[in-house]
Amino acid sequence: MRLMLLLPALIAAAPVANAQVAIQGGRGYAYVTGGDPDRPMIGVSTRSTGNRDTLGLMIESVARDGPPEKAAIEEGDRLVSANGVNLKLSPSDAGEPDMDGVANRRLIRELEKHKPGDEIELRVYRDGATRSVRVKTVAAHELNN
């Protein structure tokens, strides 16, 4: 499942305000459409990748000059958690069709608890190591697209 986290404060097949889901080639892609320009976002798009979701939610792209780029978060990194909310799937759940988008929904729920300017702690996995970074959420209209 691909999420534009230009993350609203991200997306899936569950009821999320201003989300639209399309199925292409057996994969679900969720896109944020419209919505409050002041909703908190972190500036990444994410994608579920099946069995590898045990590592965390894959970052597909990072908004130029956005909070994750400033925190040295890169495409291909995995979001392990957000404010302690686990974004990894168990091995028995990873790759199951009914689990598509679960980590994205967890991330969305956590972001919706905040407002632009609030700091959140992200645990990020890259090259066999996990690190913690703090990023400030920004209003959707502040991101460079």
Side-chain angles (χ1 to χ4, degrees), residues 73-107:
I73 295 173
E74 300 174 356
E75 291 178 14
D77 288 353
R78 299 280 179 154
L79 290 179
V80 174
S81 68
N83 286 343
V85 174
N86 186 7
L87 302 177
K88 298 189 299 184
L89 295 181
S90 69
S92 61
D93 287 337
E96 293 294 320
D98 62 333
M99 298 305 289
D100 233 8
V102 167
N104 284 326
R105 289 192 296 274
R106 290 176 187 164
L107 182 54

Side-chain angles (χ1 to χ4, degrees), residues 4 6 42-45 61-71 73 75 138 142-145:
M4 259 344 254
L6 296 172
I42 59 172
V44 300
S45 65
S61 66
V62 176
R64 187 174 45 86
D65 298 326
E69 185 178 82
K70 293 173 185 173
I73 295 173
E75 291 178 14
V138 296
E142 294 178 40
L143 289 172
N144 295 322
N145 294 322

Side-chain angles (χ1 to χ4, degrees), residues 39-60:
R39 68 191 178 278
M41 299 174 82
I42 59 172
V44 300
S45 65
T46 64
R47 182 169 53 104
S48 291
T49 58
N51 292 333
R52 295 198 48 154
D53 287 345
T54 58
L55 299 173
L57 192 55
M58 188 178 93
I59 296 175
E60 191 167 69

Side-chain angles (χ1 to χ4, degrees), residues 1 20-21 23 36 63 112 114 116 118 126-127:
M1 165 117 351
Q20 175 179 327
V21 176
I23 303 298
D36 179 4
E112 288 176 338
H114 300 278
D118 287 352
R126 178 191 312 154
D127 296 331

